[in-house]
């Protein structure tokens, strides 16, 4: 599946400024862009993000310059001589130029007058999509990017991935407008890696556990295989008593019969042994319970006992630390 991948400012910020400040692309971002372009995905940077991130880089450089000047002044006050005299200059850095020099095939997504007017209208009238928190200082800029994505969607058949932690894009992707435009919100490096078919180890293990329910899925009229699974978002693990672990996540799959492309999932494991899996969406729920073999039951009981032993050991150690 090919995508149109759009980077938001807060995603670029996660890589820091060290490489950008010397005209280089952070290695992880470079790897992702190279892989995406190589497999035929479209990669684009909104001009709004370009200006916002450039301003961010400049602000940090100015802060660093101020701190260095203070350090130099302190040294001089202590009688030291700086030779040659420091010449600290805040250089203009353009993230688009840096990206485009390395990857000429990526695009600059520039807003039209209509995009500006629509973003202004939605901001003034508080029209969807709305941010998670209100008011947000960057709301207009995010709306401007959203309006560009909606317009862009009319001219492409690909799914659009906006890589961002901003709530306005999450809400937008979940709206009817976002679904019609095939806009999806990807949060961070791990989720983007999955969309590029680069699976982190913990995600691979979770997918293997989901596929252990294949027979139970078939009984529900669902043919689930590894090539159907697109990714797992928001994976969270909660350890409970007796070696029980609860895994919560969002499962994304390709279109199959009797299942939506996105559902909220909870998997119950004893140790590393998956026991139950529930999926829910739009008021619908599927409950799956694995039919365990004797070997599975033996492993499950061992994991449960091991979990109880570890719990008691942890309690004893804590009491020893507290002196009770």
């Amino acid at each position: 599946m090919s995508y149109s991948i759009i980077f938001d400012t807060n995603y670029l910020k996660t890589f820091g400024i060290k490489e950008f400040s010397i005209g280089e692309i952070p290695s992880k971002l470079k790897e992702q862009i190279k892989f995406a372009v190589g497999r035929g995905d479209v990669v684009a940077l909104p001009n709004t993000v370009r200006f916002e991130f450039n301003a961010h880089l400049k602000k940090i450089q100015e802060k660093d310059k101020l701190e260095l000047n203070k350090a130099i002044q302190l040294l001089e006050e202590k009688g030291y001589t700086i030779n040659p005299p420091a010449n600290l200059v805040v250089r203009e850095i353009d993230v688009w130029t840096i990206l485009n020099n390395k990857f000429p095939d990526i695009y600059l997504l520039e807003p039209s007058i209509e995009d500006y007017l629509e973003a202004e209208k939605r901001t003034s009238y508080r029209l969807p999509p709305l941010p998670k928190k209100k008011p947000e200082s960057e709301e207009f800029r995010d709306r401007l990017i959203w309006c560009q994505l909606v317009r862009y969607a009319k001219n492409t058949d690909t799914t659009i991935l906006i890589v961002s932690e901003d709530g306005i894009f999450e809400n937008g992707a979940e709206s009817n407008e976002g679904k019609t435009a095939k806009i999806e919100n990807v949060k961070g490096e791990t989720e983007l890696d999955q969309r590029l078919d680069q699976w982190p180890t913990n995600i691979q293990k979770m997918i293997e556990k989901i596929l252990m329910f294949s027979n139970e899925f078939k009984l529900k009229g669902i043919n689930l295989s590894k090539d159907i699974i697109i990714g797992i978002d928001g994976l969270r693990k909660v350890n409970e008593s007796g070696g029980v672990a609860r895994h919560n996540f969002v499962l994304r799959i390709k279109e199959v019969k009797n299942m939506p492309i996105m559902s909220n999932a909870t998997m119950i494991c004893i140790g590393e042994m998956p026991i139950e899996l529930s999926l829910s969406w739009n008021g619908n729920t599927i409950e799956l319970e694995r039919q365990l073999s004797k070997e599975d039951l033996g492993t499950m009981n061992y994991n449960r006992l091991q979990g109880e032993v570890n719990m008691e050991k942890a309690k004893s150690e804590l009491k020893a630390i507290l002196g009770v």
Side-chain angles (χ1 to χ4, degrees):
M1 178 185 291
S2 61
Y3 297 112
S4 292
I5 301 171
I6 316 295
F7 295 123
D8 189 23
T9 307
N10 58 36
Y11 185 60
L12 297 181
K13 285 181 178 180
T14 63
F15 298 102
I17 74 161
K18 181 179 179 180
E19 287 88 352
F20 286 119
S21 64
I22 59 174
E24 297 292 335
I25 303 174
S27 57
K28 180 60 181 179
L29 180 61
K30 185 192 299 183
E31 173 190 315
Q32 289 179 324
I33 296 175
K34 181 180 180 180
F35 192 84
V37 171
R39 60 177 233 153
D41 295 323
V42 173
V43 178
L45 184 76
N47 211 28
T48 306
V49 171
R50 173 191 188 182
F51 291 142
E52 189 174 10
F53 190 65
N54 287 352
H56 168 71
L57 293 174
K58 185 175 182 179
K59 182 178 180 181
I60 292 180
Q61 285 190 97
E62 289 175 341
K63 180 181 178 181
D64 289 344
K65 178 182 177 181
L66 180 63
E67 293 298 323
L68 285 170
N69 280 330
K70 287 181 179 178
I72 290 170
Q73 182 179 350
L74 179 61
L75 287 170
E76 290 176 340
E77 289 174 353
K78 297 293 184 179
Y80 292 94
T81 300
I82 308 299
N83 190 24
N87 183 24
L88 304 178
V89 179
V90 175
R91 298 184 298 110
E92 291 292 333
I93 302 173
D94 181 21
V95 65
W96 163 248
T97 299
I98 294 172
L99 295 176
N100 190 239
N101 283 343
K102 180 66 178 178
F103 299 102
D105 291 331
I106 70 172
Y107 295 87
L108 186 66
L109 197 59
E110 300 190 69
S112 65
I113 293 298
E114 289 74 17
D115 293 330
Y116 277 107
L117 294 175
E118 180 64 18
E120 184 177 15
K121 175 183 175 182
R122 294 192 186 205
T123 304
S124 299
Y125 286 92
R126 301 293 300 164
L127 298 176
L130 300 174
K132 290 289 185 181
K133 300 176 183 178
K134 49 184 183 182
E136 287 187 357
S137 59
E138 299 174 0
E139 183 178 340
F140 177 78
R141 283 175 287 189
D142 288 341
R143 287 181 182 278
L144 180 58
I145 294 170
W146 178 260
C147 291
Q148 291 178 77
L149 299 184
V150 172
R151 175 171 57 86
Y152 175 71
K154 296 176 181 178
N155 300 306
T156 182
D157 293 327
T158 63
T159 296
I160 299 171
L161 304 182
I162 172 69
V163 189
S164 175
E165 293 280 352
D166 285 339
I168 196 168
F169 295 121
E170 181 180 355
N171 286 339
E174 293 173 356
S175 69
N176 289 332
E177 181 181 46
K179 292 175 181 177
T180 299
K182 295 194 295 185
I183 299 172
E184 298 182 7
N185 179 214
V186 174
K187 295 181 179 180
E189 181 180 303
T190 299
E191 291 188 16
L192 180 56
D193 278 344
Q194 290 184 71
R195 298 306 183 89
L196 298 175
D197 297 326
Q198 297 177 301
W199 306 87
T201 302
N202 64 326
I203 299 298
Q204 289 184 28
K205 289 182 178 179
M206 183 54 61
I207 289 174
E208 290 170 1
K209 290 176 182 177
I210 293 171
L211 294 175
M212 294 174 74
F213 289 87
S214 295
N215 290 333
E216 287 72 27
F217 273 112
K218 286 180 180 178
L219 293 174
K220 299 287 185 180
I222 302 168
N223 291 315
L224 193 70
S225 58
K226 188 172 183 178
D227 62 324
I228 295 298
I229 298 175
I230 295 175
I232 291 174
D233 299 342
L235 180 60
R236 298 289 185 273
K237 178 182 178 182
V238 179
N239 291 316
E240 300 179 352
S241 61
V244 176
R246 182 184 301 271
H247 303 268
N248 298 311
F249 54 93
V250 174
L251 176 64
R252 294 181 181 272
I253 63 173
K254 299 176 184 177
E255 290 187 10
V256 296
K257 186 178 180 181
N258 299 326
M259 273 280 290
I261 59 174
M262 183 174 71
S263 56
N264 295 311
T266 298
M267 181 184 291
I268 303 298
C269 296
I270 295 181
E272 294 297 317
M273 177 69 67
I275 306 299
E276 298 175 3
L277 176 64
S278 66
L279 303 167
S280 61
W281 69 94
N282 297 333
N284 299 305
T285 301
I286 292 178
E287 300 282 353
L288 304 174
E289 184 175 346
R290 285 185 63 219
Q291 299 299 314
L292 301 176
S293 65
K294 289 184 179 181
E295 183 180 350
D296 289 335
L297 288 170
T299 301
M300 181 186 72
N301 288 328
Y302 173 80
N303 289 338
R304 179 184 284 120
L305 291 172
Q306 191 65 40
E308 291 174 354
V309 169
N310 291 338
M311 181 66 72
E312 290 302 317
K313 182 179 179 181
K315 287 180 180 178
S316 299
E317 291 175 351
L318 181 59
K319 287 180 180 180
I321 293 172
L322 297 176
V324 295

